Amino acid sequence: MDLATYSGWVFGSVAGIGALAAAYVRVRSSVDDQTAEIWKGEAEAQKARADRLEMALRELTDRVVRLEAENRHLSELVTGTAAIAELKTLVIAHHEEITSLIRSETL
């Protein structure tokens, strides 16, 4: 074998290794691109889920505020605080009216 044959073998081997390296880089790049797309889709899905959860939490918070207000109102109705105050005012007013009528009839 002469120098040209050895050179051919070396050049062919280097070209083959270069082609394999280029193929590996291309496949690896493709895999990385696919992985990036998968993670991008996953991130978008998680953001959408977080937005839905945030909206649901806001709705629940508003509902709790309304229920607490309604609970205060119902507690007031059950304990009768407002009704007792109104009844007291009516009793005092009518008592004064009856007292003045009795006094005017006895005079």
Side-chain angles (χ1 to χ4, degrees), residues 32 39 51 58 61 82 88 101 104:
D32 288 347
W39 279 108
D51 290 343
R58 200 173 308 125
T61 303
K88 180 180 177 183
L101 286 174
S104 66

Side-chain angles (χ1 to χ4, degrees), residues 26-98:
R26 176 67 181 122
V27 168
R28 180 64 189 209
S29 175
S30 175
V31 168
D32 288 347
D33 289 345
Q34 290 173 354
T35 302
E37 284 298 317
I38 289 170
W39 279 108
K40 182 180 176 184
E42 185 66 25
E44 289 172 355
Q46 289 297 328
K47 183 179 182 326
R49 182 173 181 262
D51 290 343
R52 286 192 309 273
L53 288 173
E54 182 180 359
M55 186 173 25
L57 180 62
R58 200 173 308 125
E59 289 173 359
L60 286 173
T61 303
D62 293 344
R63 186 172 181 196
V64 166
V65 168
R66 284 193 313 270
L67 288 173
E68 286 176 344
E70 185 177 335
N71 188 36
R72 279 191 299 275
H73 175 69
L74 291 174
S75 293
E76 186 177 302
L77 289 176
V78 169
T79 59
T81 308
I84 290 171
E86 186 178 332
L87 182 61
K88 180 180 177 183
T89 305
L90 284 172
V91 168
I92 290 172
H94 286 286
H95 181 266
E96 289 173 357
E97 184 181 326
I98 290 172

